[in-house]
Amino acid sequence: MQHTVLVTGGAGYIGSHTTRQLLHAGHRVVVVDNLYSGNKWAVPEQAVFVELDSGNRAAVCRLMHEHDVTAVIHFAGHIVVPESVSDPAKYYGNNVVNSLQMIQACRDAGVRHFIFSSSAAVYGTPATIPVGEEADTAPINPYGFSKLTTEWMLQDLSHSDRINNKPAGECFNHVALRYFNVAGAALDGSLGQATPDATHLIKVACEAACGKRDQIAIFGTDYDTEDGTCVRDYIHVEDLAKAHVTALEYLRNGGQCQTLNCGYGRGFSVRQVLDTVQKVSNAELNLIEAPRRPGDPPILIADKTKIHEVLNWRPDYDDLELICDTAYKWERNLVKFQKRHRDQTKAG
Ligand code: UFG
């Protein structure tokens, strides 16, 4: 049976990949995006696109009724850790206040299934690596706090249905997916990250490899890691998108609330990533050693056991070279791609 899924932030990076996969899986999709950092061209034509702020509770609720929405995947939010340190109100406003409005709209419209884009940033600097979902949450930046606060709101709301003795079939259920470091692009080069002023390592390195940046800084070379640079668990965006589609099926089949790590369970250092980008692009990057960036934990690697058990999710693209290669090819296409869409918009 076809269902309608409302995807907030569906014109953004992970949202657009997930929208594509939802459509392939036979779902109807309504994308809500205010185009702050997303692009309308990233939304597939088969999806309904509505330019709207996800914090507009009344308008979102109307849309839900209009399209018989039965589930929400909530991507919309700000994602840049250093910016959250310098402008925390921006992060609490969009990531917490607007998320609450979105959750309230679901309650108003009777939408019971909710998938939330959370982040490994909720762990802060974990005591144990790989980090499991039961580990203490202790964010070290406002971005992480904003994601954790939304997780708590979801947990409390789901819990309240149970203590208010709502029938099981009417209870609000959610899955919070804690993303590790998302990167890469569609294998055919047709979709990828187009965020302006990107700060994420693989994106920035690919921009440098394409000549869009003169240099790339390595933030911190004195960490207690093998080569002194930070280690992260890089996950391909298509695998992450698949986790959302799988989480949706899980909720539809009566699954209860879950918080799940989305990572591969292994890590690569900043230097290893940069070497890989140089290899796939055949470009020599101008690397600058810079001081540590505030809010960066030294090592972040997922314990992936729970998502494997609960969703039976298995990655298809656990390969750093493939992640960097698809990201690089997308970066090369991006300029042509944006130009073509500008021309089409003018002509249309
Ligand atoms: N880095 C550089 N140079 C750059 C960009 C990044 O050295 O130009 C380093 C960072 O200092 C860090 C690593 O590369 O050590 C990865 O940084 P990213 O900015 O790519 O990603 P983050 O680890 O900061 O962010 C990610 C996710 C968040 C998550 C966070 C947890 O995007 O969702 O990890 O710390 F919350």
Side-chain angles (χ1 to χ4, degrees):
M1 185 186 153
Q2 265 205 338
H3 287 277
T4 305
V5 188
L6 188 144
V7 177
T8 76
Y13 174 40
I14 308 166
S16 60
H17 282 264
T18 304
T19 295
R20 263 195 184 186
Q21 287 198 21
L22 288 166
L23 292 165
H24 280 146
H27 300 291
R28 286 184 298 251
V29 182
V30 177
V31 166
V32 166
D33 198 302
N34 64 5
L35 299 183
Y36 172 83
S37 56
N39 295 286
K40 192 160 176 258
W41 52 254
V43 180
E45 275 174 13
Q46 306 94 304
V48 173
F49 172 74
V50 183
E51 188 173 342
L52 179 68
D53 204 291
S54 64
N56 188 335
R57 176 174 167 181
V60 167
C61 183
R62 273 198 302 277
L63 259 186
M64 287 170 168
H65 283 302
E66 195 183 320
H67 293 278
D68 287 326
V69 168
T70 54
V72 164
I73 306 185
H74 182 43
F75 291 102
H78 295 318
I79 58 161
V80 180
V81 173
E83 185 189 44
S84 80
V85 178
S86 60
D87 191 357
K90 179 171 174 179
Y91 279 69
Y92 289 114
N94 193 17
N95 295 7
V96 178
V97 178
N98 285 354
S99 290
L100 178 60
Q101 295 300 315
M102 191 67 217
I103 297 165
Q104 295 277 64
C106 289
R107 313 276 292 175
D108 299 341
V111 173
R112 296 185 301 103
H113 294 154
F114 195 96
I115 297 169
F116 173 57
S117 296
S118 189
S119 166
V122 300
Y123 297 117
T125 304
T128 312
I129 293 290
V131 59
E133 292 84 350
E134 74 299 336
D136 289 344
T137 47
I140 53 174
N141 48 59
Y143 171 72
F145 276 111
S146 72
K147 291 291 177 183
L148 186 58
T149 308
T150 303
E151 283 194 12
W152 285 338
M153 294 192 302
L154 286 165
Q155 282 163 23
D156 290 344
L157 284 161
S158 300
H159 183 61
S160 71
D161 278 353
R162 281 153 187 93
I163 58 162
N164 292 328
N165 293 321
K166 265 205 176 168
E170 291 174 23
C171 286
F172 183 77
N173 280 314
H174 72 275
V175 174
L177 296 174
R178 290 179 175 167
Y179 309 164
F180 283 66
N181 287 61
V182 190
L187 269 63
D188 64 0
S190 59
L191 193 62
Q193 190 173 7
T195 327
D197 307 320
T199 60
H200 289 116
L201 180 66
I202 292 181
K203 171 82 177 161
V204 168
C206 290
E207 287 178 356
C210 290
K212 296 182 188 172
R213 292 176 187 249
D214 298 337
Q215 59 182 52
I216 171 158
I218 301 177
F219 297 130
T221 53
D222 58 349
Y223 285 99
D224 188 13
T225 59
E226 211 153 292
D227 66 17
T229 65
C230 288
V231 171
R232 295 288 184 272
D233 188 340
Y234 294 92
I235 170 174
H236 195 284
V237 65
E238 291 290 349
D239 278 333
L240 184 62
K242 189 172 83 169
H244 292 77
V245 180
T246 314
L248 189 65
E249 295 308 322
Y250 165 84
L251 289 176
R252 292 249 160 86
N253 292 328
Q256 300 298 297
C257 300
Q258 295 286 349
T259 301
L260 302 171
N261 282 343
C262 280
Y264 290 149
R266 50 93 189 107
F268 294 101
S269 71
V270 172
R271 285 198 194 279
Q272 284 175 310
V273 168
L274 295 173
D275 285 348
T276 310
V277 171
Q278 300 197 85
K279 182 176 168 198
V280 299
S281 63
N282 227 354
E284 201 174 319
L285 301 179
N286 181 13
L287 304 177
I288 311 290
E289 294 193 3
R292 291 182 178 199
R293 194 176 67 173
D296 271 345
I299 307 181
L300 209 43
I301 298 174
D303 182 335
K304 60 185 181 186
T305 315
K306 195 171 165 197
I307 190 168
H308 282 218
E309 282 174 7
V310 173
L311 298 186
N312 197 22
W313 170 84
R314 295 289 182 281
D316 297 313
Y317 309 111
D318 177 0
D319 176 347
L320 182 65
E321 207 165 303
L322 179 88
I323 292 174
C324 293
D325 190 47
T326 53
Y328 171 65
K329 294 209 169 99
W330 164 249
E331 199 58 53
R332 272 195 335 199
N333 282 344
L334 187 56
V335 176
K336 284 186 266 171
F337 202 70
Q338 284 172 326
K339 184 177 177 312
R340 198 166 62 234
H341 278 272
R342 267 198 307 274
D343 293 348
Q344 276 170 1
T345 314
K346 267 188 219 149

